[in-house]
Amino acid sequence: MPADEEGLWHRPSVLALRRLLHHRLFVSGLVLFAIIVVAAILAPVLAPINPDKIDMNATFLPPSLRHLFGTDNFGRSLFSRVMWGARLSMLIGGATVAINAVAGTVIGALAGYYRRIDNIVMRANDALMAFPPVLLAIAVTATLGPSIIDVIIALGVVYTPRTARIVRSSVIVLREMEYVQAAVAAGAGDWHVLRRHILPNALAPLIVQLSFLFAYAVLTEATLSFLGVGAVPPTPTWGNIMAEGREYLTTAPWIIAIPGAALMITVLGLNMLGDGLRDVLDPRLRIQQ
Amino acid sequence: MIRVIASRVASAVPILILVSLITFGMIHMIPGGPAAAIAGLSATPQQIAEINHNLGLDKPLPVQLYRWYDQVLHGNLGTSLLLGQPVSQAIMIRLPVTFGLSLYALVITLAIGLSSGILAALRQNTWVDQVAMIFSIIGISLPNFYLALLMIIFFAVDLGWLPSGGYVPFFDDPLGWLGAMTLPAISLALLLTGLLARITRSTMLEVLRQDYIRTARAKGLPQRQVVLKHALANAMIPIVTVIGIIVSLLLSGAVVTETIFSLPGIGQLLTEAVLNRDYPMVQGGVLVVTALMVGVNILVDVLYAALDPRVRYHAS
């Protein structure tokens, strides 16, 4: 039915998607990020050599056809280690985003909608945001211990207040809108108003925030493991590989250069993706472009 | 103005109380307690009891809390387990290193970030704009420890232009200080410069579209005066907010930068403390750094009010 097709084609979400796919920055970012995601998913297939397999006869081999990314001081395949490192980065980034999407939305929506708890929640938020991010993450992992789960918790503690603040500020504006007031006057319950009228309209800034957050989370995790307070060393995280390569900076620079480049591609891709999302989803900025 | 300052300081008090409670709580959240973590797996019960006694952890919680506040308010943050030195003293010795590094990085950030952001906005959609924006998105995406290591390989090892690490006090040898701090300051400033350039550009674009700018141009004011006096003055308000964020990121970045370039600052002190499970040091250091942050934010808010009469009006 042509009428329905027309309707589907002009739905706001489809329109936004079409605009995104014509946004050069967004598409380039998506491609970069997709490379890393595919590498992470296909790591066991593409890099069948065990990333922890030590071969003392093949140490410090520079990149070649046999060892695409070279080998490290224990003769471990850096190709395997970097590919498996991508898995951990994606896992930690994804988990942090998931924690933020749920906890940040719940806290932000409650604080924005109910003035009485707003004050208390936001003071606690301010206190957590007063800590410099990496320092707070270090302090949390120092307290809990260095493991992947603890790093995820630390990143959740560091970034959830920031996400909550963004959701809250959207909710505060939306709460005063006439259509919301009308819904309240018509007898809609709080839960219904929040879920059906407020949160769908608060989604755009949240999505933009979450794409940047993924980048911060990957970067902070790499920083933590580089400093030695992230996942424990034999674990192949990009930060760990770079920390181990520091000693051989001059003789085997590829040990640092390759995981660093992977990290940069991830963060760059996500930042471009986030910029594109913001251009398309945030109507206030769209007028300026 | 005084009212603005007073209200900002007053609003910082609950934040500082919460921050101190969180740092106090840290030591109690360690699984198995800090004594077990410090003494290791082979610790005897006597050793654990002794450590707990030394840290005051054998007292009831309210007593510990009271003692913590009593100490903190007297400037006593306990004694470092690793250095055997008072925590506050260790921090005071290392503060000038971090302060100098941050200031150097801030100068680079402001000089390059502001000017390239303004230029990009004035030349919107030209190659100047595109180059500036490509560099700034790379700037915010290049991990600072990666850049630091690459710069060490090129500038310190290959070319031998600058030292790869080590600290020279400014008052002993100002030029030596500049040499030792240049690579760390650049690696620290990169992310912040990109961030500032992007915000400056978008704020300037917004301001340049306003009617009063058109009026200023229409009445024949020279470009320099329109940009600096009419546009930048109004764009400064969001930019100052970002500078507040930048100072917080400076302290975060310093942790990594100081470790790589072996600069004996707060960042390195705290990383060492974490790695060696020196809990009093971590607790005290985090508290001091965060209190400094809150202080900087008050300063930013006051600056905000000084720049924008509307803020002064709403505050009173």
Side-chain angles (χ1 to χ4, degrees), chain A residues 91-110:
Chain A
L91 172 76
I92 289 172
T96 311
V97 165
I99 291 174
N100 269 264
V102 176
T105 305
V106 170
I107 297 170
L110 293 179

Side-chain angles (χ1 to χ4, degrees), chain B residues 35-71:
Chain B
I38 293 163
L41 289 172
S42 57
T44 61
Q46 286 96 321
Q47 278 175 308
I48 292 196
E50 195 184 345
I51 293 172
N52 276 335
H53 182 74
N54 289 342
L55 289 173
L57 292 171
D58 49 353
K59 303 274 188 304
L61 212 55
V63 176
Q64 286 187 41
L65 189 63
Y66 171 77
R67 283 186 24 178
W68 159 249
Y69 274 118
D70 188 50
Q71 281 188 348

Side-chain angles (χ1 to χ4, degrees), chain A residues 96-138:
Chain A
T96 311
V97 165
I99 291 174
N100 269 264
V102 176
T105 305
V106 170
I107 297 170
L110 293 179
Y113 198 72
Y114 299 103
R115 289 221 162 126
R116 227 171 303 160
I117 49 175
D118 185 31
N119 222 329
I120 305 164
V121 173
M122 280 302 124
R123 286 296 84 74
N125 234 13
D126 286 344
L128 283 172
M129 283 172 65
F131 292 95
V134 171
L135 202 59
L136 181 57
I138 289 180

Side-chain angles (χ1 to χ4, degrees), chain A residues 240-259:
Chain A
N240 277 344
I241 303 172
M242 292 173 79
E244 287 168 36
R246 252 186 92 186
E247 259 181 80
Y248 318 104
L249 193 67
T250 48
T251 49
W254 58 87
I255 303 180
I256 280 178
I258 293 168

Side-chain angles (χ1 to χ4, degrees), chain A residues 110-191:
Chain A
L110 293 179
Y113 198 72
Y114 299 103
R115 289 221 162 126
R116 227 171 303 160
I117 49 175
D118 185 31
N119 222 329
I120 305 164
V121 173
M122 280 302 124
R123 286 296 84 74
N125 234 13
D126 286 344
L128 283 172
M129 283 172 65
F131 292 95
V134 171
L135 202 59
L136 181 57
I138 289 180
V140 175
T141 49
T143 310
L144 297 177
S147 78
I148 292 167
I149 297 292
D150 295 323
V151 170
I152 292 173
I153 295 174
L155 294 174
V157 171
V158 172
Y159 290 112
T160 303
R162 286 156 224 265
T163 309
R165 169 160 290 241
I166 285 170
V167 175
R168 169 185 174 265
S169 58
S170 314
V171 172
I172 284 183
V173 173
L174 292 166
R175 188 186 55 190
E176 304 301 329
M177 298 287 246
E178 271 171 16
Y179 76 92
V180 174
Q181 303 278 319
V184 174
D190 287 353
W191 170 242

